[in-house]
Every structure is written in C-alpha cells, then in structure tokens.
Amino acid sequence: MIARGEALRVPDLDPGSPEWLATVSGSQVASIIGVNPYQSGYELWMLKSGKMPRPEATTAQTRGHEFEPLILRWLGEAHPDWTFEGTGTFAHPDRPWQTGNPDQLYLDGDGRLGIVEVKTDRDHPHRWRHGIPEHYQCQACWYCDVLGLDEVLFAVAGPYELVDRKPAEYRYKYDSDLAAFLRREAERFSESLALGIAPDPDHTRPGDRAAVRWQHTRIEETPPVELPAELAVPWLEALADEARWEGRKAEYASRIGAYLGDAKTAEYGGITIGTRRSGRGGGPPSFTAAKGIKDKAPQLITTEGATP
C-alpha cells in the first residue's frame, strides 16, 4: 500500500450533487483561471450554480476513459521496478473544498512517491512540443497540493504512441507559488457562486454561447426591446455577409440573447430584427433572425451607421 500523506479519502462525488457543488477539483481550477481550452470559468459557474445541465461527455473524454487502462498497463511495463496503485477522490485535510482525483500513484525504484496522470491527445506531440500544456500544469499542481506530493508523471498517448504501445512521459514539479494563486482564485470563484455574481461570458466561445442561452429560459410577451448600435449593427453585418461573418454572427446573436434577458423580440431602428425562440427537445431559447431581415440588413446598417 502506497502512503498518501495527509490527504483525506472522500467518496467519489456525483456531478451536480451538493457535495460536488461545494468543492473545486483539479480539472475545474484551470477553467476558473481561464486557461482550460475545453471549458471556461463562465461555463463552470453556470454548471455549479445549477442554471444549466451538465453536457454529455465529448468523444475525446470517452476516448480517454477507454484507453486509460491500456496506457497504464504500458507504463507499468516500461517501469517494472515501480509500484502503481489506483487512487480515488481526496480532499486537503485543512481545506475540504479542495479535492483531487488523480489516475494513479507510483512509488519508483528510488522510493520516490508521485502521481500518474494519463492523457490521450490526437495532436501529440505537436501540442506538447513546449512541454506540459498550461491547463494540465494547473491540474497537476492542484493534485500535488491536495495530496502533499511533489511530482506528477504524465503518460501521454497520441496516434504514434498508441500504435507503438509506449506512452510519452512528462514530469511536473510542484510550484508552491502557483498553488497559492490557484487557491486564491478558487476561493474568489466560490464567493461569486455564493453571491450569485456570474463572470462575464466570452461570446466568441461556443461553450459560453450555449451557456448564455440557459441564463434566461423564459420567453415573455414584452414590448420589443430597442437594441444599441454596438449590438445590432455587427449582427446585421454578419447577416449581410454570412459566408465571411458566420462566426461573428453567432457571437452577436449570443450577445443579443443575453441583452434581451427574458424578453422575446428585438428591434433596431424601429424594425423587428429577431426573436428568442424555444429550443428543440426542451433546450434553452436561442435568438434567431426575423423573416426577411437579411434582405433589410444592408439598409438598416446604412441608415443607422457603420459598426462602432
């Protein structure tokens, strides 16, 4: 049995449960400080606040779970004199809200104890050419801080490593300054949850655009809301040139939806330019263009002025 220092073993947490809501894990802390490419702090806040449902697992997440046992076995074959042990969920003894769920622990041939994290990455080694990506460094630092350990060994497999059955290895050394920063930011995030103050969404991110739609799930028959030019004109420009502006059109549709709140209809220059409509299959409302507004967009832009 590998000793785990002073960390407390706790039951695995069910996402969405009160216990899960009250903790911050290693994967979440990277979202909180804005370096997680797969989830923003705003998305996490919406999940933790209960304002949106947990999304389904992505193909990459499912793939990682499927390959993990194989990669761990290959790692063990590469280090026959090491001892490996499965873990579980742990909490810091003085900060029960700070939790970690590493893949395994190891005891190497020199008696050094560390953490194993398994990653699959279809873009390896390109994405790892400068070393461990920042969001994984945050996760590793968090795990070290929880368990009172100094090192994380990443076993990484891309297409070549899977074919060769030999994961690439990267070592992370604990950074106490980074750990202190992560704890401060996690505490601020938890305070914002308690106060009900959400971080600002990044409307250029698809995940944030999806999350914004859950912020206002009602559609009320209120009087039309006149939009400011900085919202309406970019969206109208995107409609006028969809092939060129498709991404920006989605961004400003998200911004307009957030601006409307629970209102249904948006106007600009006295003309209805779009409405919020119920999502399919019980999904949240989304903002869609009014019928014929695409043809009117160039005139509205010319009449009201160019993009601010």
Side-chain angles (χ1 to χ4, degrees):
M1 181 69 69
I2 297 176
R4 300 183 180 88
E6 300 299 324
L8 303 176
R9 180 68 182 268
V10 296
D12 291 339
L13 303 176
D14 182 27
S17 67
E19 295 78 14
W20 181 83
L21 294 172
T23 61
V24 177
S25 68
S27 58
Q28 293 169 7
V29 74
S31 300
I32 289 171
I33 69 166
V35 298
N36 188 346
Y38 308 111
Q39 182 190 61
S40 71
Y42 177 74
E43 288 179 83
L44 180 63
W45 195 96
M46 290 290 288
L47 284 169
K48 290 255 185 188
S49 65
K51 294 183 180 297
M52 66 177 283
R54 185 174 177 83
E56 295 183 2
T58 64
T59 301
Q61 291 169 331
T62 303
R63 177 193 66 210
H65 290 305
E66 291 174 349
F67 280 116
E68 184 177 307
L70 280 174
I71 296 170
L72 287 170
R73 191 184 80 194
W74 298 336
L75 184 66
E77 292 171 354
H79 300 281
D81 59 334
W82 291 20
T83 301
F84 294 90
E85 183 180 290
T87 58
T89 302
F90 296 91
H92 191 279
D94 300 323
R95 298 182 293 275
W97 55 267
Q98 185 182 1
T99 61
N101 189 6
D103 294 328
Q104 279 199 347
L105 297 178
Y106 71 84
L107 187 67
D108 68 15
D110 296 321
R112 290 175 300 202
L113 178 62
I115 297 167
V116 176
E117 270 298 294
V118 174
K119 303 296 180 186
T120 58
D121 193 332
R122 64 184 301 172
D123 293 327
H124 183 269
H126 175 74
R127 207 193 315 260
W128 294 66
R129 66 190 185 279
H130 299 306
I132 302 168
E134 189 175 12
H135 59 296
Y136 289 148
Q137 292 186 43
C138 292
Q139 182 183 29
C141 184
W142 195 257
Y143 286 168
C144 286
D145 205 42
V146 170
L147 275 75
L149 299 177
D150 295 324
E151 185 173 274
V152 176
L153 173 65
F154 283 91
V156 184
Y160 297 110
E161 290 78 20
L162 290 173
V163 170
D164 294 338
R165 298 191 297 180
K166 186 178 180 181
E169 298 180 17
Y170 300 82
R171 293 180 183 270
Y172 172 84
K173 296 292 185 180
Y174 177 63
D175 183 338
S176 59
D177 290 336
L178 175 59
F181 169 73
L182 295 177
R183 290 195 300 269
R184 288 195 300 270
E185 293 304 306
E187 288 171 340
R188 288 174 183 165
F189 180 85
S190 297
E191 289 173 2
S192 75
L193 275 172
L195 294 171
I197 303 174
D200 292 331
D202 180 353
H203 295 278
T204 66
R205 295 181 60 136
D208 280 29
R209 294 200 294 266
V212 163
R213 293 169 58 197
W214 287 102
Q215 200 160 24
H216 301 282
T217 55
R218 293 181 300 164
I219 300 178
E220 298 180 355
E221 295 291 346
T222 60
V225 177
E226 176 69 15
L227 298 175
E230 61 266 23
L231 285 179
V233 171
W235 188 74
L236 291 166
E237 287 179 333
L239 281 176
D241 190 0
E242 284 196 42
R244 180 182 174 191
W245 294 86
E246 187 62 37
R248 201 172 185 209
K249 186 183 76 171
E251 173 190 344
Y252 273 87
S254 177
R255 291 181 183 274
I256 290 171
Y259 184 87
L260 289 175
D262 292 329
K264 179 179 180 179
T265 305
E267 282 188 353
Y268 183 65
I271 295 176
T272 297
I273 68 170
T275 59
R276 293 174 64 244
R277 296 182 180 179
S278 298
R280 297 179 180 177
S286 59
F287 181 73
T288 57
K291 186 176 181 180
I293 195 61
K294 180 177 178 180
D295 296 331
K296 298 176 183 177
Q299 179 182 354
L300 276 170
I301 295 167
T302 302
T303 301
E304 298 297 331
T307 307

